[in-house]
């Protein structure tokens, strides 16, 4: 066997994990900045200047939770990709707002979409949940044991937001997105990852009560300790630094320049954080994919919602860099080669 044949054979036998389909869902109700002006002491100019957000979607039905959003996004993916849910091996449910502490939301979603041959579980890393889920899904594919892994990112953030707290209610929205990971033998798909966490962030972005440390009680409810709170300045500082650092490092580690990167898919938390990350990578604005103005921060759903909105731009072989930062703190970057052209 010649050197070319050996190289070709090795490539054909190496499994990489590629995204082969995407889907999404957002609720119909639009919570605009103008509406927020009637709810808290804020205004459209202040919100837009500091966050880049104009609107966010809210799931108004109190009888529906994160699972409803996730099911809709998964069904969208299955329909668009003409995929039989019985062929799915595993469902990873990335979420910070599960329907209930127990049982797993992902397990319920799997059953409801007809993926009865799959096993499922939830993954929680705040706003980095989907990014971490990409790493996890890819590892299952690369092991050779599984052929179809459905990764869903979904959050009903309105369920944990205090709409009298202008520091958080202007930021978050509800939504869901999903991607399918499958084996690839052309060298496409996930190439490298840099994932990190630091418990120093535990007190700066959190829901204080409802867990084992402070179980729900009349006292915790009266003190409003079941909604998300954050130290905005501290979170912003860490987010800007770490998202930018991780994205820069993934380029250097893979000998990539800004010219090599086709698209940046950043977590949609704040336009200033996104701009800082793009600046560190020396990327022109046209390569930065953003929909934060429409949806706000949907936590686990931001990355797949971006992929869904801009799927038509992504071409087979494109170099795509993902970046995220979340409470905990959690953060990282993933380098991926896009695997298909939208039909």
């Amino acid at each position: 066997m010649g050197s070319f044949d050996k190289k070709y054979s090795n490539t054909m036998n190496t499994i990489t994990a590629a995204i082969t389909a995407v889907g999404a869902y957002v609720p119909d109700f639009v919570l605009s900045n103008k509406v927020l002006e009637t709810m808290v002491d804020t205004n459209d100019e202040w919100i837009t200047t500091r966050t880049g957000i104009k609107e966010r979607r809210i799931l108004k039905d109190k009888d529906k939770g994160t699972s409803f959003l996730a099911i809709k996004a998964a069904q969208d993916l299955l329909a668009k990709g003409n995929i039989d849910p019985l062929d799915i091996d595993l469902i990873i449910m990335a979420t910070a707002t599960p329907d209930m502490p127990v049982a797993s939301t992902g397990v319920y979603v799997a059953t409801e979409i007809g993926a009865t041959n799959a096993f499922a579980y939830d993954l929680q890393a705040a706003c980095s949940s989907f990014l971490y889920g990409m790493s996890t899904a890819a590892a299952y594919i690369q092991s050779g044991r599984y052929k179809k892994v459905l990764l869903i990112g979904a959050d009903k953030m309105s369920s944990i937001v205090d709409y009298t707290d202008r520091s958080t209610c202007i930021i978050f929205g509800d939504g869901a997105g999903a991607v399918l990971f499958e084996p690839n033998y052309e060298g496409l798909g996930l190439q490298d990852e840099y994932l990190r966490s630091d418990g120093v962030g535990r007190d700066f972005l959190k829901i204080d009560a409802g867990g084992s440390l402070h179980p729900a009680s009349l006292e915790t409810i009266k003190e409003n300790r079941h909604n998300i709170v954050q130290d905005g300045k501290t979170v912003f500082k860490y987010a800007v630094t770490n998202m930018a650092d991780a994205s820069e490092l993934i380029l250097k580690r893979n000998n990539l320049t800004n010219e090599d990167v086709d698209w940046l898919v950043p977590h949609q938390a704040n336009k200033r954080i996104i701009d800082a990350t793009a600046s560190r990578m020396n990327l022109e604005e046209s390569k930065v994919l953003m929909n934060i103005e429409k949806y706000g921060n949907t936590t686990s759903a931001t990355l797949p919602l971006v992929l869904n909105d801009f799927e038509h731009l992504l071409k087979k072989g494109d170099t795509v860099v993902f970046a995220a930062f979340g409470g905990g703190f959690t953060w990282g970057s993933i380098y991926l080669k896009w695997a298909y052209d939208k039909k």
Side-chain angles (χ1 to χ4, degrees), residues 88-92 107 110 115 117-121 140 146:
I88 297 173
D89 301 306
L90 163 63
I91 292 178
I92 301 172
V107 171
N117 291 324
F119 71 102
Y121 60 84
Y140 278 110
Y146 306 99

Side-chain angles (χ1 to χ4, degrees), residues 40 71 81 135 144 153 163 177 231 256 285:
V40 291
I71 290 165
S135 169
Y163 283 93
D231 178 338
L256 299 171
E285 191 174 344

